[in-house]
Amino acid sequence: MKFKDLVQYFQRLEATTSRLDMMSILADLYNKVEDPDEAAIISYLVLGEIHPPYIGLELGMSEKLIIRSIAMASGYDSTQVEKKLNEVGDIGNVAEFFISKKRQMTLFTRELDVKRVYDTLDKISRTTGEGSINDKIRLLASLLVDASGVEAKYIARIAEGIMRLGVADMTLLEALALKLGSREYKALLEEAYNMVPDIGYITRVVYQEGLDGVKKVDIKLGIPVRPMLAERVKSPEEAWEKTNGQLAADFKYDGERMQIHKDGDKVLIFSRRLENITYQFPDVVQVVRNHVKANQAIIEGEAIAIDKDTGEFRPFQDLMRRKRKYDIDKMIEEIPVTLRVFDIVYLEGENLMKKPFPERRKLLESIIEPSEEIKPSELIYPKDIKELWNFFLLSIENGCEGLVIKNAGPDSIYQAGARGWLWIKLKRDYRAELADTLDLVVIGALYGRGRKGGNLSSFLMAVYDQKEDIFKSVCKVGTGFKDEDIAYMNKILKPLLRDKKPARVETGMEPDYWVEPKIVLEIQAAEITLSPVHRAAYNIFQDGAGLALRFPRFTGRYRDDKAPEDATTEEELIEMFKKQRRYVE
Ligand code: ATP
């Protein structure tokens, strides 16, 4: 197919916003095309892709490079092209403008065909390493030289990775269903696409093997399946209703989702958006090799950043610092992660998606050898709403976001690519950004790990209940202490350490040592949450729950000027919680 013919379809697609129109334009296009390879290429180009995202070969040339290519092909100056871009804003329109009044007189121009455009863009995406920038510019310019103005417009847009046709992959699948004879086949195509999310591959199957081929498409080790997603509810009661009480409850970890493919020693990791992120996590690769006792498996889990000294979960932002191409070893050291696996879709050649959740879970547990770095997610099959509610509170207490509640009935399949009611998320519904710091009293001390091993390095902290004259626990803090702080704390706490709980202290926690209430520290926290463990404001907002601080951190200030009875009071904490309580989402 000539590229200029395809461009006419692009123009028609761009001109409409109606999905139905788009579908019939695409169906018309697929009818014109006979060659399976060409059809596959067209499917990619309509989406503005060269490869499916999981391949990890992105074209996405920067505007700067495209400007230089346009300049090279048109004979204009880069600064002129750049100026125009500042006026117009869209690189496609700029390419059209300059290429349609090309200054350079080329002796031979060859009319572009679809295959050549694709192959050249493919080559650009594979050009890496030293000197690659100039090669990329030259390759793109070689297309632009032979392009008409309007052809240049779309080539530039594909090069930038933003096609702007408004066509979604689901619309393409619908058009392919028409190619097979009926729109009704869309569901089958979608099912195939959920297992192999490669629009080029699916197009080829449609052209070469027809409906039978589509029905046979199955999971492939090394190609990520589209992830199952969750609906949301506001209360445990609602979740109970939606699942008829046939449910499992799973901690909702605040990290990064990982879909992990293991094939012998070869391990691949894909993100929620199906990008290959293996190179960022060599530590996870190693853990999977050592602790997943299966030759071939596809498992899913959440990677969470942990504090390297205390082993506690860190906020999501910390994990985001691992998103980089360089200094990976340093990052592994600085921001270690731990994996909580929650599902399995493939094991030793068998697709498990149609098995009910409890069966999948059993298989998952059977192949994981738990360690600090990898474990099955924390899960219960609650017998009533109260147990579900308590588990929700426990998850918050453990630094999680809430629960993912999983239908555990006979039809609880893995619904790839769908947001449905088989998974339901229940997140904490209040969030307060604490503007104020709190002055809290040390009532317990715990041994640390790693660098701080052998030292007491995290501390159980309390607010003061004036009425009862009691110190009630509100958090455990291990963050914010420098080496010299740890040394100092160990020194000043020594005479205050007790084996038995001192009088006037209340908590649901068991520290390694109790501490006579005396030392006051200034603590900053992200928010106040409900907790089944801590005893501040116990039973006030919720039966069986008190208030706790989330992500507490020592500010570095020892409040020697304060007696323990001058610490933040329970009343003040309650006020802070009330004031800052608000619904999220
Ligand atoms: P959110 O921003 O709430 O994570 P999302 O759109 O990314 O939303 P949802 O389908 O709404 O995804 O929620 C499920 C997400 O929760 C998963 O993608 C996964 O990353 C995360 N998660 C954490 N713990 C679990 C768990 N135990 N089971 C399933 N998903 C979990």
Side-chain angles (χ1 to χ4, degrees), residues 53 92 147 178 185 201:
L178 288 177
Y185 297 138
Y201 173 83

Side-chain angles (χ1 to χ4, degrees), residues 438-440 462-466 536 565-576:
L438 294 90
D439 297 321
L440 302 177
V463 288
Y464 180 57
D465 173 354
Q466 272 172 318
E565 290 78 10
D566 298 327
T568 302
T569 62
E570 185 181 38
E571 283 299 302
E572 285 172 308
L573 183 73
I574 289 172
E575 280 315 304
M576 284 170 95

